[in-house]
Amino acid sequence: MSDRSLRGKTAVVGVGETTYYKRGGAPDAEFVLAIKAILAACEDAGIDPREVDGFSSYSNDRNDPSRISAALGIKELKFACMQWGGGGGGGSGAVANAASAVASGVADVVVVFRALAQGQFARFGQGPKMSAIAGDMAYSMPYGVMSPAQMFAMRCTRHLHETGITRDTYKAVSLATYAHAQNNPRAVMHGRPLTPEAYDNARWIVEPYQLYDCCMENDGAAALVIVSADRAKDLKKKPAYILGATSGSEYRNAAPSHNAPLYATSSFTSLAPRLYDMAKVGPKDVDVLQSYENFTGGVVMSIIEHGFCTHEEANSFMTTENFLAKGGKLPLNTSGGNLAECYMHGLELITEAVRQIRGESPNQVKDAKISMVTSGPMVTPVSNSIFGSRETL
Amino acid sequence: MSTSEFYLPEGLPAPAPAPDGLDKPYWEGVSVNKLIVQRCKGCKTYQWGPEWVCHKCHSFDIGWEEVAPKGVIYSWERAWHPVHPALKDHGPYIVVLVELPHAGNIRMIGNLLGDPKQDIKIGANVEAVFEHHTGSKMPYTLVHWRVTK
Ligand SMILES: [Zn+2]
């Protein structure tokens, strides 16, 4: 192992979240949600919150680490890190940044968090209300390309066209994810199962996405605590060791006006090999996958780009049965994810990946030892991460 | 081709030239029914959207060149759910991503004119239709596309 690799040097030792709410439904201000999730994660880890000395987040989270440190009486802040750009694509990137800080001795106890109160602040899924737009967006917004769904739909249309993959794969992602949420009391869609008929009959949002291909919009906060592998051994919960975490994207992915040379991808083609190389595992070793669903089509691309099947195999491999925790070949989004647990901007996928290693998932995959996350398909930068139990070190 | 009929209702964000002047030649071009894009004077690479520097050779001496206002459909989407008040009750509309094979395969976004429920074929030939909003406080032109034989 190269001395510069992150593999096995740090671990997630605490996870926590607030109650997850429908958009606008949180009784607390966003800052309060952030604090509550951080305290819950520290409680779970058995670490005094005053001992936290670093914070890592993404997507321009509004809750400033210095302000959080003041509010919680944190003894000394040593690390305050924001992953730049890519929205929810920064989730695993924030883990990579936190783990890098701990592995290199920059800080000792780093919290990764994300908080959203869309009632208090603006919604993701609505177009902007300004009267004029200049710059890159002047070439798309006036044509009605304004929401995230509208920004990514053409990548998926092209992908379906190039590969012959059908929208049945989208449906499988959605149905499996909803099925998992029915066993998860934390899930906003708990008690609201999705039938194949309801999926089919739902309205179009923007072709090729129907309603249940799209993530929810929610309020809440989630957090996790990262410490060194040494420290992790003595804490109360089973550590989820960080075997690898990478972020980035392909050559000129952000070329304006949809000019990315590799257009029909989820932006992971260059990251996937780097992640497996760092973690020293391959797709065959992965027991369970949490794959960020802004839109189901992005999940389909992410799964292929991470080598779980080829384009040619996708139509037969990507079935609801294969995605279920119970008996599936690739258990997927076992908490209900962004579609049905909570759109916690994908941090709920990472807490779920950790719970799988601990044996605490509401849809536990038997003996899960290698647990993987892909964060934010089709944006740039995207990121991904792999967590392992002690025996994988 | 140009049109004074608007494909989408007014009230969406209107395009404005970048305050730093980067894309001035493009907006001047479309106002007189010309498609003008960046082409590096040094290495001849076509570039879209506009940048201050050539992504290939890093020259700052980037020229602008008129290209034939035609292309092929590279991808598309049909938007049904209105995400802006101006689109409420409007119904579906089609967005196309058009590739210009004669200009280094650069791509441009526009609306596809005609029946919003029409079948759309990736690879179909299209020509540009310049939609002039001359009555606006800040006049501007959108570039749409129409399928040709
Ligand atoms: Zn050049």
Side-chain angles (χ1 to χ4, degrees):
Chain A
M1 191 206 320
S2 152
D3 200 36
R4 291 174 59 217
S5 172
L6 269 181
R7 190 182 198 281
K9 289 183 177 160
T10 62
V12 178
V13 293
V15 294
E17 62 274 303
T18 64
T19 301
Y20 289 146
Y21 302 95
K22 290 187 171 158
R23 166 179 49 80
D28 294 323
E30 193 176 81
F31 187 76
V32 178
L33 296 171
I35 295 285
K36 284 185 172 174
I38 292 165
L39 290 174
C42 290
E43 167 75 28
D44 181 60
I47 289 178
D48 184 336
R50 294 167 193 84
E51 231 195 285
V52 171
D53 60 0
F55 292 95
S56 175
S57 190
Y58 56 101
S59 196
N60 300 329
D61 190 282
R62 286 173 284 251
N63 303 286
D64 173 45
S66 297
R67 194 63 196 79
I68 292 170
S69 300
L72 292 180
I74 277 169
K75 286 181 241 169
E76 184 187 2
L77 180 66
K78 299 176 187 163
F79 182 70
C81 181
M82 176 58 67
Q83 172 79 351
W84 215 334
S92 290
V95 169
N97 297 339
S100 302
V102 171
S104 58
V106 167
D108 295 313
V109 182
V110 179
V111 165
V112 178
F113 73 96
R114 182 80 178 104
L116 282 173
Q118 297 193 65
Q120 187 183 358
F121 298 101
R123 283 183 64 185
F124 283 101
Q126 289 289 301
K129 304 295 185 288
M130 75 272 259
S131 61
I133 178 76
D136 293 347
M137 299 302 260
Y139 302 103
S140 54
M141 224 178 246
Y143 302 99
V145 181
M146 292 180 285
S147 67
Q150 293 165 350
M151 289 176 205
F152 302 127
M154 289 195 290
R155 276 183 173 251
C156 287
T157 306
R158 182 73 195 181
H159 179 252
L160 296 176
H161 170 79
E162 284 183 6
T163 61
I165 291 172
T166 72
R167 290 188 64 262
D168 285 347
T169 58
Y170 293 14
K171 184 176 174 179
V173 169
S174 188
L175 291 178
T177 301
Y178 260 83
H180 289 145
Q182 304 318 310
N183 298 326
N184 178 6
R186 281 189 303 270
V188 173
M189 290 298 171
H190 183 245
R192 297 184 58 186
L194 177 65
T195 64
E197 295 71 32
Y199 174 92
D200 288 337
N201 295 333
R203 62 198 167 93
W204 287 109
I205 299 301
V206 50
E207 294 173 49
Y209 308 142
Q210 283 171 279
L211 179 63
Y212 295 108
D213 294 309
C214 304
C215 63
M216 303 185 284
E217 295 181 80
N218 298 105
D219 290 1
L224 46 96
V225 183
I226 294 174
V227 300
S228 71
D230 272 353
R231 174 89 192 268
K233 285 184 298 202
D234 307 322
L235 292 168
K236 69 179 190 190
K237 286 289 175 75
K238 185 179 170 189
Y241 294 92
I242 296 165
L243 300 184
T246 73
S247 70
S249 59
E250 301 124 342
Y251 173 69
R252 299 197 75 232
N253 187 296
S257 188
H258 293 222
N259 275 271
L262 281 176
Y263 187 68
T265 80
S266 57
S267 314
F268 279 111
T269 59
S270 57
L271 270 75
R274 274 200 286 135
L275 177 68
Y276 290 133
D277 191 48
M278 186 187 290
K280 304 286 177 232
V281 301
K284 293 232 162 13
D285 305 312
V286 174
D287 296 309
V288 53
L289 173 67
Q290 315 300 323
S291 182
Y292 190 108
E293 339 89 305
N294 36 18
F295 307 102
T296 52
V299 177
V300 168
M301 287 193 269
S302 301
I303 289 172
I304 295 166
E305 285 163 37
H306 283 88
F308 292 103
C309 71
T310 63
H311 283 121
E312 291 72 26
E313 292 160 347
N315 283 334
S316 55
F317 178 77
M318 294 194 193
T319 61
T320 309
E321 295 68 38
N322 276 348
F323 287 149
L324 290 177
K326 211 170 182 177
K329 284 183 186 151
L330 181 64
L332 176 76
N333 297 356
T334 48
S335 69
N338 285 328
L339 294 182
E341 183 186 25
C342 173
Y343 183 73
M344 206 51 259
H345 226 177
L347 200 58
E348 86 288 353
L349 299 170
I350 301 179
T351 54
E352 171 64 9
V354 169
R355 287 188 166 115
Q356 284 285 357
I357 294 296
R358 292 175 169 187
E360 292 179 355
S361 166
N363 293 282
Q364 184 61 44
V365 172
K366 200 165 171 288
D367 298 327
K369 293 182 182 63
I370 307 256
S371 181
M372 178 162 150
V373 181
T374 65
S375 303
M378 304 185 278
V379 299
T380 175
V382 290
S383 58
N384 51 17
S385 52
I386 294 180
F387 302 87
S389 62
R390 182 166 188 77
E391 52 265 62
T392 64
L393 290 178
Chain B
M1 290 296 293
S2 73
T3 176
S4 53
E5 239 174 75
F6 300 153
Y7 181 77
L8 289 177
E10 289 191 276
L12 295 181
D20 57 14
L22 172 62
D23 54 11
K24 193 163 173 265
Y26 171 82
W27 295 111
E28 286 175 352
V30 295
S31 74
V32 291
N33 301 336
K34 286 181 179 174
L35 207 50
I36 297 174
V37 302
Q38 281 191 326
R39 189 174 194 188
C40 177
K41 285 182 182 166
C43 74
K44 303 293 176 199
T45 298
Y46 285 98
Q47 181 161 276
W48 198 251
E51 305 268 12
W52 285 107
V53 63
C54 170
H55 71 268
K56 204 82 175 198
C57 74
H58 297 172
S59 168
F60 286 86
D61 192 15
I62 299 182
W64 291 79
E65 185 176 294
E66 185 179 354
V67 297
K70 61 179 187 178
V72 294
I73 296 178
Y74 184 81
S75 193
W76 61 274
E77 68 189 28
R78 188 177 351 245
W80 293 79
H81 177 67
V83 298
H84 191 282
L87 293 168
K88 203 171 173 289
D89 305 321
H90 175 267
Y93 58 93
I94 300 170
V95 179
V96 282
L97 183 59
V98 172
E99 188 175 60
L100 278 61
H102 52 290
N105 295 100
I106 56 170
R107 302 180 202 131
M108 294 181 169
I109 290 170
N111 295 122
L112 184 68
L113 301 187
D115 182 357
K117 295 186 181 167
Q118 69 187 280
D119 281 335
I120 306 143
K121 285 199 173 57
I122 288 179
N125 292 314
V126 289
E127 64 179 0
V129 178
F130 296 89
E131 182 186 284
H132 300 298
H133 292 244
T134 46
S136 293
K137 206 160 42 171
M138 300 269 289
Y140 62 93
T141 298
L142 298 179
V143 182
H144 297 311
W145 301 89
R146 184 169 60 192
V147 176
T148 54
K149 292 287 171 277

